[in-house]
Amino acid sequence: MTQSNTLTVQILDKEYCIACPSDERSNLESAARYLDGKMREIRSSGKVVGADRVAVMAALNITHDLLHKQQHLDQQAGANREQVRSLLNRVDNALAQDTDE
């Protein structure tokens, strides 16, 4: 892989060279900053010792947040579908009454 397709990010004071398409560099940099922040937050709490354990706890926390948000979006999508169905039924009823007159 060429040097232009790699990105070096720093997480918990360690550098990682990662293959990355140029159009995804900004997203990867943001993800690395977010992960670094979460890992530093966990490490500074003093409850978790060791980079591997900090990384696992950060991954679990991030995954939990992602799944929670996805569940919320799924529930909202379901509510939106129900609202659209209700509106369509009202339109159908209004059109049916209009043709009866």
Short mmCIF file of all heavy atoms in Angstrom, two decimals, residues 68-81:
data_model
loop_
_atom_site.label_atom_id
_atom_site.label_comp_id
_atom_site.label_asym_id
_atom_site.label_seq_id
_atom_site.Cartn_x
_atom_site.Cartn_y
_atom_site.Cartn_z
N HIS A 68 -27.63 1.51 21.58
CA HIS A 68 -28.72 2.26 22.20
C HIS A 68 -29.29 3.27 21.21
O HIS A 68 -30.51 3.40 21.07
CB HIS A 68 -28.22 2.96 23.46
CG HIS A 68 -29.26 3.75 24.17
ND1 HIS A 68 -30.28 3.17 24.88
CD2 HIS A 68 -29.45 5.09 24.24
CE1 HIS A 68 -31.07 4.13 25.37
NE2 HIS A 68 -30.58 5.30 25.00
N LYS A 69 -28.43 3.99 20.52
CA LYS A 69 -28.88 4.98 19.53
C LYS A 69 -29.58 4.30 18.37
O LYS A 69 -30.57 4.80 17.85
CB LYS A 69 -27.71 5.83 19.06
CG LYS A 69 -27.26 6.82 20.12
CD LYS A 69 -26.07 7.64 19.69
CE LYS A 69 -25.68 8.56 20.85
NZ LYS A 69 -24.48 9.31 20.57
N GLN A 70 -29.06 3.14 17.94
CA GLN A 70 -29.70 2.41 16.85
C GLN A 70 -31.09 1.94 17.25
O GLN A 70 -32.04 2.03 16.47
CB GLN A 70 -28.84 1.21 16.43
CG GLN A 70 -29.39 0.46 15.24
CD GLN A 70 -29.44 1.31 13.99
OE1 GLN A 70 -28.46 1.94 13.64
NE2 GLN A 70 -30.58 1.34 13.32
N GLN A 71 -31.22 1.47 18.48
CA GLN A 71 -32.53 1.04 18.97
C GLN A 71 -33.50 2.23 19.00
O GLN A 71 -34.66 2.09 18.60
CB GLN A 71 -32.39 0.45 20.37
CG GLN A 71 -33.69 -0.06 20.95
CD GLN A 71 -33.52 -0.59 22.37
OE1 GLN A 71 -32.61 -0.19 23.10
NE2 GLN A 71 -34.39 -1.49 22.76
N HIS A 72 -33.02 3.37 19.43
CA HIS A 72 -33.86 4.58 19.46
C HIS A 72 -34.29 4.96 18.04
O HIS A 72 -35.46 5.29 17.81
CB HIS A 72 -33.10 5.73 20.12
CG HIS A 72 -33.87 7.01 20.14
ND1 HIS A 72 -34.96 7.21 20.95
CD2 HIS A 72 -33.71 8.14 19.41
CE1 HIS A 72 -35.44 8.43 20.72
NE2 HIS A 72 -34.70 9.01 19.80
N LEU A 73 -33.36 4.90 17.09
CA LEU A 73 -33.70 5.21 15.69
C LEU A 73 -34.71 4.22 15.13
O LEU A 73 -35.63 4.61 14.40
CB LEU A 73 -32.43 5.22 14.83
CG LEU A 73 -31.50 6.40 15.02
CD1 LEU A 73 -30.21 6.19 14.22
CD2 LEU A 73 -32.17 7.70 14.62
N ASP A 74 -34.55 2.94 15.46
CA ASP A 74 -35.49 1.92 15.00
C ASP A 74 -36.89 2.19 15.55
O ASP A 74 -37.89 2.06 14.84
CB ASP A 74 -35.03 0.52 15.40
CG ASP A 74 -33.80 0.05 14.63
OD1 ASP A 74 -33.45 0.69 13.61
OD2 ASP A 74 -33.17 -0.93 15.07
N GLN A 75 -36.96 2.55 16.83
CA GLN A 75 -38.26 2.86 17.44
C GLN A 75 -38.88 4.08 16.79
O GLN A 75 -40.08 4.11 16.51
CB GLN A 75 -38.10 3.08 18.94
CG GLN A 75 -37.80 1.83 19.72
CD GLN A 75 -37.43 2.11 21.17
OE1 GLN A 75 -37.16 3.24 21.55
NE2 GLN A 75 -37.39 1.05 21.97
N GLN A 76 -38.05 5.08 16.53
CA GLN A 76 -38.56 6.29 15.89
C GLN A 76 -39.03 6.00 14.46
O GLN A 76 -40.06 6.53 14.03
CB GLN A 76 -37.49 7.38 15.89
CG GLN A 76 -38.01 8.71 15.46
CD GLN A 76 -37.27 9.85 16.12
OE1 GLN A 76 -36.23 9.65 16.73
NE2 GLN A 76 -37.80 11.04 15.99
N ALA A 77 -38.31 5.16 13.75
CA ALA A 77 -38.71 4.80 12.40
C ALA A 77 -40.05 4.07 12.42
O ALA A 77 -40.92 4.31 11.57
CB ALA A 77 -37.64 3.93 11.73
N GLY A 78 -40.24 3.19 13.41
CA GLY A 78 -41.51 2.50 13.55
C GLY A 78 -42.65 3.47 13.82
O GLY A 78 -43.73 3.36 13.23
N ALA A 79 -42.41 4.43 14.69
CA ALA A 79 -43.43 5.44 14.99
C ALA A 79 -43.73 6.28 13.75
O ALA A 79 -44.89 6.60 13.48
CB ALA A 79 -42.96 6.33 16.14
N ASN A 80 -42.70 6.62 12.99
CA ASN A 80 -42.90 7.38 11.76
C ASN A 80 -43.72 6.59 10.74
O ASN A 80 -44.60 7.14 10.07
CB ASN A 80 -41.56 7.78 11.14
CG ASN A 80 -40.85 8.84 11.94
OD1 ASN A 80 -41.44 9.51 12.79
ND2 ASN A 80 -39.56 9.00 11.69
N ARG A 81 -43.44 5.29 10.62
CA ARG A 81 -44.22 4.43 9.71
C ARG A 81 -45.69 4.41 10.11
O ARG A 81 -46.58 4.51 9.27
CB ARG A 81 -43.65 3.01 9.68
CG ARG A 81 -42.48 2.84 8.74
CD ARG A 81 -42.12 1.37 8.53
NE ARG A 81 -41.71 0.70 9.76
CZ ARG A 81 -40.47 0.73 10.23
NH1 ARG A 81 -39.53 1.39 9.60
NH2 ARG A 81 -40.17 0.09 11.34
#
